[in-house]
Amino acid sequence: GQNIDQPTEMTATEGAIVQINCTYQTSGFNGLFWYQQHAGEAPTFLSYNVLDGLEEKGRFSSFLSRSKGYSYLLLKELQMKDSASYLCAVTTDSWGKLQFGAGTQVVVTP
Amino acid sequence: DAGVTQSPTHLIKTRGQQVTLRCSPKSGHDTVSWYQQALGQGPQFIFQYYEEEERQRGNFPDRFSGHQFPNYSSELNVNALLLGDSALYLCASSPQDTILYNEQFFGPGTRLTVL
């Protein structure tokens, strides 16, 4: 089967750093995406990794290790608006089908 | 650019009924995918449409069907509704030639409640 695992919830303080881990066991791999989803809203794209290493985009960075089936999303200088669910998704075919984890709810406290 | 739009926003149905959800992709996007998101879960892939054909299907029964029109908009139909079909239904669009490495744009979803 296909497994994509992430922690259910994480809490951090405003201004701090939080790292959300994602491990995957899939048949095939074409890329890994991170999406942010605020309650009741559409998922919005944060990052894409296909090669090993770190991709940095402002306050958000994403890392991938294909040999370990592991990725993380790093959120720096946390703001209250970063309170949301963060979804890890893997594509394994040539059609772009996204296979999502259950999401990690990040709660930012003052 | 209006982005991906979906209608209706909310819908309440009873068991056994049928429902049709609609999606208009972002301008210039020709590929539409549908996802079901149960409360507290990640989205689950239902199917994908390209060139008016269902190209790929997830692990959903035949009660779930769809259609894509020449203007790339799409419909999701669910027959014989069950309580377990209650969920947020998301539509995502992308240009076919960049779908593997570029973001898919999601609509705001339709919240379906089955009583």
Side-chain angles (χ1 to χ4, degrees), chain A:
Chain A
Q2 319 267 43
N3 282 320
I4 300 169
D5 294 312
Q6 348 176 192
T8 303
E9 185 171 317
M10 303 182 74
T11 301
T13 308
E14 199 174 9
I17 298 173
V18 70
Q19 177 175 315
I20 307 168
N21 296 325
C22 172
T23 57
Y24 62 91
Q25 290 177 299
T26 56
S27 48
F29 177 84
N30 269 345
L32 189 142
F33 293 79
W34 284 95
Y35 280 81
Q36 180 192 60
Q37 186 177 28
H38 285 99
E41 298 183 12
T44 55
F45 169 82
L46 290 178
S47 70
Y48 167 71
N49 294 73
V50 65
L51 299 176
D52 289 354
L54 189 67
E55 294 281 341
E56 297 188 84
K57 193 185 287 188
R59 295 189 298 113
F60 298 147
S61 304
S62 58
F63 171 83
L64 175 67
S65 169
R66 289 172 297 171
S67 62
K68 295 180 179 172
Y70 167 71
S71 172
Y72 68 72
L73 179 70
L74 197 67
L75 283 61
K76 294 177 254 188
E77 300 167 19
L78 279 172
Q79 302 175 10
M80 297 300 291
K81 66 178 182 180
D82 296 329
S83 291
S85 179
Y86 291 84
L87 298 161
C88 172
V90 173
T91 55
T92 60
D93 58 30
S94 56
W95 310 121
K97 178 180 78 175
L98 291 166
Q99 299 179 63
F100 285 91
T104 299
Q105 185 66 42
V106 170
V107 178
V108 181
T109 60

Side-chain angles (χ1 to χ4, degrees), chain A residues 30 33 35 37 40 42-43 45 48 87 91 93-98 100-102, chain B residues 35 37 40-43 45 48 55-56 90 99-104 106-108:
Chain A
N30 269 345
F33 293 79
Y35 280 81
Q37 186 177 28
F45 169 82
Y48 167 71
L87 298 161
T91 55
D93 58 30
S94 56
W95 310 121
K97 178 180 78 175
L98 291 166
F100 285 91
Chain B
Y35 293 82
Q37 186 175 24
Q41 298 298 314
F45 177 80
Q48 184 183 92
R55 190 162 62 178
Q56 192 180 27
L90 295 163
I99 195 169
L100 278 185
Y101 56 85
N102 215 339
E103 64 178 296
Q104 294 183 42
F106 283 83

